[in-house]
Amino acid sequence: MRLSGRVALVTGGSRGIGRAICEALADAGAAVAINYQGSERAAREVAREIAEAGGIADIFQADVSERDAVQRMKKQVLARFGRVDLLVNNAGITRDRTFVRMDEEAWAAVLSVNLNGVFYCTKAFLDGMLERGYGRIVHISSIVGQIGNLGQANYAAAKAALLGFTKTLAKELATKGITVNAVAPGFIETEMVAAVPEEIRGKIVTQIPMRRLGTPQEVAKAVVFLVSDEASYITGQTLNVNGGMYA
Ligand code: NAD
């Protein structure tokens, strides 16, 4: 299998896109550390499903926006699996409102999970990758970081920042055996998008050339490709998975 012998960590892996990424990585042969923040039961369910399909997975609690929590998770993951070869920074939140109504708390909350969380997790696991001279890092950005979206100034800022971070880290690590890429999903059928009012979702679909939302599995396949050996010469890139919405 493409990823056998590799160890992956997926943040926010208990549901939605993160869950699909955990399943797809396990399906490709990787052992998967599933990070979750609060939903232990859902995370256990993902791990159980992976084990039933013959894969290897375990669950690790941490709020990625807290440096100390990430450091504790690092110790637990290393005690269980020995290392992390593939890091997928997927955890993310939204706190939508127009910028005029957006308070500092909503701004800070989104930046703290979607951007600082990526900083803490990448910091935590990069040293091991450098020691071994091998690593694959994928950030889950968003089409919103590329084209903007009403009511999402905080989210767009964080997701756009990830793209600059991806390019810079890719350049710094290019000779170290570590690739760094981003996946920018369009609108995907998850609880995050289910929270968008029906009427607005209908309007969004009319702007998608494929006239449908994407599935978490379609995003997961792009991640599996980027962490596989097939993508060995790809770094600093953003892979758009958006049904043609931004081209
Ligand atoms: P989701 O809300 O279903 O899942 C997000 C996951 O992140 C959840 O498991 C949640 O518990 C976890 N999480 C949130 N805060 C956390 C924290 N502080 N620490 C650890 N985990 C935390 O959303 P999703 O749609 O599956 O989104 C996954 C990623 O994809 C996010 O980064 C999101 O911004 C991005 N994305 C989603 C879409 C979409 O249309 N659904 C589009 C583009 C990008």
Side-chain angles (χ1 to χ4, degrees):
M1 288 201 281
R2 291 209 274 180
L3 301 178
S4 59
R6 303 286 188 213
V7 179
L9 169 65
V10 181
T11 66
S14 67
R15 71 179 204 197
I17 293 171
R19 176 181 184 147
I21 294 170
C22 290
E23 291 168 352
L25 291 172
D27 204 39
V32 183
I34 304 165
N35 159 256
Y36 69 97
Q37 181 185 16
S39 38
E40 181 178 344
R41 185 147 25 113
R44 274 199 197 291
E45 173 63 22
V46 181
R48 192 183 57 78
E49 196 192 75
I50 288 173
E52 275 177 13
I56 301 167
D58 211 338
I59 65 170
F60 300 89
Q61 194 282 331
D63 176 343
V64 296
S65 68
E66 289 181 19
R67 190 192 49 202
D68 294 349
V70 171
Q71 287 299 322
R72 279 197 297 277
M73 171 174 73
K74 174 186 177 178
K75 283 196 187 123
Q76 291 161 0
V77 172
L78 296 186
R80 170 71 171 88
F81 289 119
R83 63 184 197 284
V84 166
D85 307 302
L86 322 173
L87 171 63
V88 184
N89 284 309
N90 164 79
I93 60 166
T94 51
R95 289 275 187 283
D96 297 352
R97 41 188 49 209
T98 58
F99 186 68
V100 169
R101 291 164 180 265
M102 188 176 288
D103 59 18
E104 208 176 319
E105 192 278 325
W107 176 266
V110 167
L111 270 287
S112 124
V113 176
N114 299 13
L115 189 56
N116 295 352
V118 172
F119 173 81
Y120 295 135
C121 291
T122 305
K123 270 275 180 199
F125 294 98
L126 184 59
D127 52 358
M129 292 180 184
L130 286 167
E131 275 166 29
R132 290 183 300 278
Y134 179 86
R136 296 274 183 270
I137 300 172
V138 177
H139 306 305
I140 305 301
S141 176
S142 169
I143 190 171
V144 171
Q146 298 167 310
I147 63 174
N149 196 23
L150 297 177
Q152 294 199 304
N154 48 2
Y155 184 79
K159 293 300 188 182
L162 284 185
L163 302 183
F165 179 55
T166 299
K167 291 174 194 178
T168 301
L169 206 56
K171 287 185 178 178
E172 291 185 6
L173 301 174
T175 60
K176 313 285 185 196
I178 302 168
T179 67
V180 187
N181 291 289
V183 169
F187 288 84
I188 309 298
E189 280 173 43
T190 68
E191 288 178 49
M192 187 177 273
V193 166
V196 175
E198 182 75 43
E199 185 200 328
I200 298 179
R201 261 188 296 153
K203 280 193 189 139
I204 289 170
V205 168
T206 65
Q207 293 163 28
I208 303 172
M210 286 193 185
R211 294 289 184 268
R212 66 172 178 87
L213 301 181
T215 67
Q217 289 72 25
E218 287 172 316
V219 178
K221 282 178 190 160
V223 174
V224 171
F225 167 64
L226 287 172
V227 302
S228 74
D229 287 345
E230 277 86 73
S232 55
Y233 199 54
I234 299 176
T235 195
Q237 304 304 310
T238 301
L239 184 43
N240 298 329
V241 183
N242 61 26
M245 192 176 183
Y246 169 69

